[in-house]
Amino acid sequence: MIGEVRVVMILFIEGYKVEANTVIFVNNHHANFSEDFWDTPETYSPERFITEDNSFKKPKHFQPFSVGKRQCMGYKMVEHVTSFLLASILAKFEVKCHEAMRDQPLGQLGLEPKPFYFTVRKTGCSSTDSPCRHTA
């Protein structure tokens, strides 16, 4: 996520002079993927959010929805709906990324609009079934 801040007076950030009325875009990608905070930042590892007593803990430096008054207003709804939707899909379907899509660039502010190919197959169907029909 990207946050936008408008500077209202002259200030210095890390020795750099920032003039009044300058718009600053804060890209929190660095904190979310920094080796300063994560051992292997580009590895999918949900275990890094689980404590020794198996409870969930989100580190302060991990801010996928930004922070403060510019934080995404719908993030809680997105978290719940996404979890439910993903669990429902993965309970009934096998989803595979097309081989050509596995080498996507990381850390961009936006990706160019091009198709993303993947295969969805209902669980319990063989690859020779076409179309896959399952009766319960």
Side-chain angles (χ1 to χ4, degrees):
M1 288 290 149
I2 301 172
E4 175 185 317
V5 177
R6 182 174 299 276
V7 177
V8 294
M9 60 185 200
I10 295 175
L11 62 92
F12 289 85
I13 301 174
E14 297 285 325
Y16 293 96
K17 182 179 179 182
V18 180
E19 297 289 341
N21 295 316
T22 299
V23 175
I24 300 174
F25 289 93
V26 180
N27 179 0
N28 64 2
H29 177 270
H30 174 73
N32 292 339
F33 285 89
S34 173
E35 290 182 356
D36 294 339
F37 300 118
W38 309 102
D39 291 332
T40 54
E42 295 185 12
T43 301
Y44 177 71
S45 177
E47 301 82 25
R48 69 182 74 187
F49 299 104
I50 306 298
T51 63
E52 289 182 14
D53 66 351
N54 288 326
S55 60
F56 173 78
K57 181 174 187 211
K58 181 177 79 69
K60 290 181 181 180
H61 58 269
F62 181 65
Q63 301 297 333
F65 296 101
S66 199
V67 293
K69 67 180 184 178
R70 305 231 185 260
Q71 180 175 3
C72 176
M73 296 184 330
Y75 84 95
K76 276 294 181 195
M77 182 185 74
V78 168
E79 284 180 345
H80 294 295
V81 170
T82 303
S83 296
F84 174 77
L85 183 61
L86 188 58
S88 298
I89 291 171
L90 294 179
K92 297 179 181 180
F93 298 94
E94 177 183 286
V95 180
K96 288 188 176 180
C97 175
H98 188 274
E99 191 72 33
M101 299 284 104
R102 294 187 184 167
D103 190 27
Q104 293 294 307
L106 299 173
Q108 294 185 349
L109 298 180
L111 296 174
E112 62 181 282
K114 61 181 181 179
F116 187 86
Y117 299 103
F118 57 93
T119 303
V120 178
R121 180 173 293 123
K122 191 162 182 134
T123 304
C125 296
S126 70
S127 61
T128 58
D129 294 340
S130 181
C132 181
R133 289 188 166 65
H134 180 73
T135 57

